[in-house]
Amino acid sequence: MICVILKDFPATNSIGSPVIFRRLVVIALVGGLIGGAAVSLIQWWQVTPIIVQAEKLESLKAETIQAVSQEHSEGSHSHGDGWRPQDGLERTAYMALSNILTAFGFTLVLAVSMAGAALKFKKNSEVNVAVGAMWGLGGFVTFFAAPSVGVAPELPGVTSVALELRQWWWAGAVICSGAGLYLAYVLKTRWKWGLLVGLLSAPHIYGAPQAQNPYQGFPSEVAVQLSKMSKDFFLVTGLSSLTLWLVLGIFSALAVKRYIDLEN
């Protein structure tokens, strides 16, 4: 499919040319479909059942709070009353669409970064399957592993600090991790490793926002169950993220090597 779409676009080795941009977008679109489909299958198999179970337990939190104090209104628990896709086909369709769009963006970042490194830093000979997998692992560390050390994926109903604080910290961790890994790849000096360690550590030295009691409001037996489910949720979301990034990294490397002229 990608051959048919790109056959009329002449090759060029200018990273800023419109032709290169169109090729990178097409690569990202195809990668988004492939990666989104792959991660959706894993999430449907492993992640969604845990989320559905957590949503059922979430209702017990509201019941417990209401039993303690009748002063709580329905508006105080809007998290549980908000719109959600229906279980089954609707949930799966929204999940797949979200994953495809996310994978499209990630593939575009990978393809642009690979092509840029190849053309600007003379890395054209290093674009292959192994290096694609390495880029995929770098994406996994940047967008999942490093941020999750401070702000792990959360189940529905689990108490956390303000969303804005978590988002700002997560964005900072992603920027620091991605910059550190990219500089470690393109630079040739020895001090790049110290820079990498410093950038990876900086967000965690600053400290991630943490809730004191994430299971507050749940009955004790439900809190224990949610604690175990949270660990399982972290593992399966990590597996789905790793799969996504490896697929996107390898695909991006093959596509960039085949359809972007990396020779000067």
Side-chain angles (χ1 to χ4, degrees), residues 10 24 214 224 251:
L24 290 171
V224 172
F251 170 81

Side-chain angles (χ1 to χ4, degrees), residues 121-146:
F121 299 100
K122 313 301 181 185
K123 297 282 188 177
N124 53 300
S125 62
E126 297 182 14
V127 180
N128 51 48
V129 172
V131 171
M134 183 190 71
W135 275 87
L137 287 173
F140 171 74
V141 171
T142 298
F143 286 91
F144 183 86

Side-chain angles (χ1 to χ4, degrees), residues 186-232:
V186 299
L187 297 180
K188 297 181 179 180
T189 58
R190 292 182 178 180
W191 56 263
K192 66 182 181 181
W193 301 114
L195 179 62
L196 172 60
V197 172
L199 286 172
L200 286 174
S201 304
H204 305 284
I205 294 174
Y206 176 82
Q210 299 288 340
Q212 295 296 325
N213 182 10
Y215 308 111
Q216 183 178 3
F218 287 102
S220 57
E221 63 274 10
V222 176
V224 172
Q225 186 176 355
L226 279 172
S227 178
K228 181 181 182 303
M229 289 173 60
S230 294
K231 296 175 183 178
D232 295 338

Side-chain angles (χ1 to χ4, degrees), residues 47-60 84 154-158 218 222 225-226 229-230 233:
V47 179
T48 300
I50 297 178
I51 294 177
V52 171
Q53 180 62 25
E55 289 174 347
K56 293 178 180 178
L57 295 176
E58 185 181 6
S59 62
L60 298 176
R84 289 174 182 158
E154 294 179 344
L155 289 170
V158 174
F218 287 102
V222 176
Q225 186 176 355
L226 279 172
M229 289 173 60
S230 294
F233 186 65

Side-chain angles (χ1 to χ4, degrees), residues 17-84:
S17 78
V19 174
I20 282 284
F21 177 75
R22 289 196 295 269
R23 284 175 171 259
L24 290 171
V25 170
V26 172
I27 289 171
L29 286 171
V30 178
L33 290 173
I34 296 173
V39 74
S40 294
L41 182 61
I42 294 179
Q43 289 184 350
W44 171 79
W45 175 41
Q46 293 284 343
V47 179
T48 300
I50 297 178
I51 294 177
V52 171
Q53 180 62 25
E55 289 174 347
K56 293 178 180 178
L57 295 176
E58 185 181 6
S59 62
L60 298 176
K61 181 178 182 179
E63 293 174 1
T64 301
I65 294 176
Q66 289 173 356
V68 173
S69 174
Q70 294 299 324
E71 295 179 358
H72 289 273
S73 64
E74 292 182 0
S76 300
H77 310 292
S78 57
H79 179 77
D81 297 332
W83 177 87
R84 289 174 182 158

Side-chain angles (χ1 to χ4, degrees), residues 39 43 139-140 143-145 236-246:
V39 74
Q43 289 184 350
F140 171 74
F143 286 91
F144 183 86
V236 295
T237 52
L239 174 63
S240 65
S241 179
L242 178 60
T243 301
L244 172 66
W245 281 106
L246 287 177

